Amino acid sequence: MNTPYYLIDKARLLQNLERIAYVRKYSGSKALLALKCFATWSVFEFMRPYMDGTTSSSLNEVKLGRTRFGGETHAYSVAWADHEIEEALGHADKVIFNSISQLNRFRDRTGGIDCGLRINPGVSSSTFDLADPVRPFSRLGEGDIGRIEAVLDRINGFMIHNNCENEDFDQFSRMLDEIEERFGEHLGYVDWVSLGGGIHFTANGYPRDALCDRLRAFSERFGVQVYLEPGEATVTGSTTLEVSVVDTLFNGRHLAVVDASIEAHMLDLIIYREEADVLPNTGPHEYMICGKSCLAGDVFGTFRFEAPLKIGDRISIQDAAGYTMVKKNWFNGLAMPSIGVREIDGSTKTIREFDYTDYETSLS
Ligand SMILES: *Cc1c(COP(=O)(O)O)cnc(C)c1O
């Protein structure tokens, strides 16, 4: 397979999936894949036995979840348009409204489908304003207790999403304490509560048994079915972006240009001002690994290598699944990375290649 390509390693994915299945089993919670994080549907069949279904953030995602993953399909959107709602309901088992105005606008059209409301609990684990659902003037979910109380008879579930790659179980649990205290009366009225994504419970060393106990206690106290919506936790560490060196330069530092770009193929590195991960990142030769778009700051990061880099050398950029493939774009008309899968037996196969026609038809 020519580089660049994303490589999904099923054995590494399986480790996360087994941890998700463990938490499902011992907490009684259901787990839905958050499609906005990862939507590479060729591996959905592999993932399906370990999860209950999907949750979404748009009509397209609801359709993808229903048709490609199956199982329980939740339809959430920050705001449904009038012309979308019918079709979304046609694919959904539950619809979750982001605001009371959306709930009131569409409630009569939901028929027998479960209706939920997103609550904004006013506490979050996020430290990055851009991704903080409880930032000032947030549009994400209702926070006013009185207004929520007034629509309790129109809903049978709540969704609360206020964690972000949170590896700190104690912090998660403390925030859940606050939620219980603030919304306790209302939580008892509904049948189900989704606690959203952002709990990094598939990480090595995460106290999964404590999480299971905490979720079970929450579920029993309020008599609700708990849902989790893991995105990043599902695919973390499972996928690499495989690139090749296409040029080397020296400009006060050793530079190596590779055949991919952070702007086009790992956009979150720019958005969150992070460096990529390259392993093992040891050895005497240090290089700044640069993307091949014309953006001056298109830099994966600075890493160490055992030998001087030369043209054609291969580099694996780690953690290229979550919020990565779903955000790839055609900036600079760069070659779009293919998608490959490493099977459990170690063999690798290409599942998708992109060509000039894909680039041309992405606009018109
Ligand atoms: C983004 C999001 C998720 C997934 O979050 P991760 O951090 O990827 O686990 C789940 N639920 C909702 C409502 C979201 O917005």
Side-chain angles (χ1 to χ4, degrees), residues 34 36-37 159 161 196-198 229-232 323:
K36 79 160 194 274
C37 172
M159 188 267 276
H161 171 70
E229 303 175 350
E232 184 62 41
Y323 301 99

Side-chain angles (χ1 to χ4, degrees), residues 32-38 55-57 76 78 96 118 140 159-166 194-200 228-235 322-323:
L32 307 176
L33 174 65
L35 292 172
K36 79 160 194 274
C37 172
F38 183 77
T55 189
S56 56
S57 32
Y76 165 74
V78 167
I96 298 164
R118 179 168 184 173
L140 301 173
M159 188 267 276
I160 301 167
H161 171 70
N162 66 333
N163 286 276
C164 183
E165 288 190 43
N166 188 358
S194 172
L195 295 175
I199 311 165
H200 220 51
L228 301 173
E229 303 175 350
E232 184 62 41
T234 309
V235 293
Y323 301 99

